[in-house]
Amino acid sequence: MSTTQHNHDQQSTGAREMTYSEAIREAMAQAMTADERVFLMGEDVGLYGGAFGVENDLIDRFGEHRVRDTTISELGIVGMGVGAAITGLRPIVEIQFSDFTAQAMDQIANQAAKLHFMVGGQASVPLVIRAPGGSGTGAAAQHSQSLEAWFTAIPGLKVVMPSTATDAAELLLAALEDPNPVIVLENKLLYKQSFEVPESFTAGRLGEGRILREGNDLTIVATGIEVPRSLEAAAELAEAGIEAEVIDPRTLKPLDLPLILDSVTRTGRVLLVQESVTFGGYMGEIAASIAESRAFGHLQAPVRRLCGMDIPIPYNPQLEKAAVPQVADIVREATALVKEW
Amino acid sequence: MLDQAGLDAVQAEARDAIRQAVVFGTQGEEPDPGALLDAVYAPSAVDATDPRGAEEALTSGAGLEHAEVAR
């Protein structure tokens, strides 16, 4: 992957360039400046500046009161966030690796996501949970998972998965404006990638996907790190005469299903690409939605999923790479969908 | 009761095991891609990932009569 992703971000005016993590930091600072109710909590987010450096100097700019280092207890971190949210604050809590949300699942699934429902709408939980996921960093099986399907199966929780710096910033701002708990699944490999971004960030819109590249031969729906890989694959496919339309849902829940169905209806072929495992994965939901829709009647080939292998992410770099879809895999599968059907 | 000599022996053994692991990790041969599927599940009578040859069914053409409807 190149160090700079161009043409990837349709919101961008190309006014300036910054990394994915810098964009998140700027969005958090912008929100904290605009609204004193917004504050950060998490392991090492203060003095250390975040495990991946996302928070950096925010503690110097906003003080320990609003950039709070916590104990090593994900359950406690999210639990404090839930408490702060229902009492009127706008907490952003960081889980150092999304794998560690397993420790916090009771607070996420049983408290944050359900409180509004269980008190008959008398209280809301405007909590933002940031959690980086994905493989490719040599962090092995317990620090490399893509667990989005866990969260999209929880009613009451919204799920965001940004693949560009602008989306990471603007969907974070949108999450902060939402009265519901929102989990933002960032990607570790993207943190240091540079993107063209607009002069300033404004809150995006949850539930709005985006066509990042237009094409008529097949639709590729991709999430997270598979979005830039799919765009790179689409460029290669174009050289071979195959025009792929690439869609990034950006928000997994709520999902912009009409955008996907319209595209599939036009192209008649769809390749669904995610880093997470096939079995029980999020792309199975999109596949089922296509099968249940009128778009099904326009398919010229079976829906194809290209996902991570059903194994824990290996430590060895070559095996780690082989465990999840790479650009060549996407090119191969897309070509087969078009040529063999 | 473990004496200092015993402790030193345990420590030396642990250091040696770590040293061997580092040598293996940095100088050993790259694993075969087939190793990706090793040790995901403990051996059992039923393959958890493919109990009835589902992958074969998907790729062998079984069910294609239904796919033809969509074509």
Side-chain angles (χ1 to χ4, degrees), chain A residues 296 299-300 302 309-312 314 316 318-319 322-323 341, chain B residues 30-33 35-37 40-41 49 64 67-68 70-71:
Chain A
F296 180 75
L299 286 176
Q300 299 174 54
M309 294 178 68
D310 193 13
I311 57 172
N316 175 272
Q318 290 188 27
L319 297 188
W341 289 86
Chain B
E30 290 290 339
D32 186 281
L36 279 165
L37 298 172
V40 178
Y41 293 92
T49 57
L64 284 187
E68 289 297 329
R71 293 185 77 173

Side-chain angles (χ1 to χ4, degrees), chain A residues 190-211:
Chain A
L190 292 175
Y191 274 145
K192 292 182 179 175
Q193 295 290 319
S194 289
F195 295 80
E196 290 178 355
V197 298
E199 197 59 56
S200 63
F201 294 126
T202 54
R205 184 177 166 79
L206 301 182
E208 193 175 272
R210 187 151 285 158
I211 296 173

Side-chain angles (χ1 to χ4, degrees), chain A residues 20-26 28 40 45 48-58 94 130 132 186 191:
Chain A
Y20 187 89
S21 60
E22 287 168 344
I24 296 166
R25 179 159 65 251
E26 181 170 305
M28 291 194 294
L40 317 181
V45 300
Y48 190 67
F52 295 95
V54 174
E55 286 77 11
N56 196 281
D57 63 348
L58 290 182
E94 178 183 290
R130 295 181 38 249
E186 298 164 0
Y191 274 145

Side-chain angles (χ1 to χ4, degrees), chain A residues 8 10 14 31 35 40 42 50 72 80 88 101 123 145-146 152 159 162 173 175-176 201 241 243 249 266 298:
Chain A
H8 181 176
Q10 293 187 350
D35 186 346
L40 317 181
I72 303 175
M80 286 188 286
T101 56
Q145 297 170 92
S146 298
T152 55
V159 184
L173 294 174
L176 276 166
F201 294 126
E243 293 298 334
R266 275 189 287 105
H298 295 267

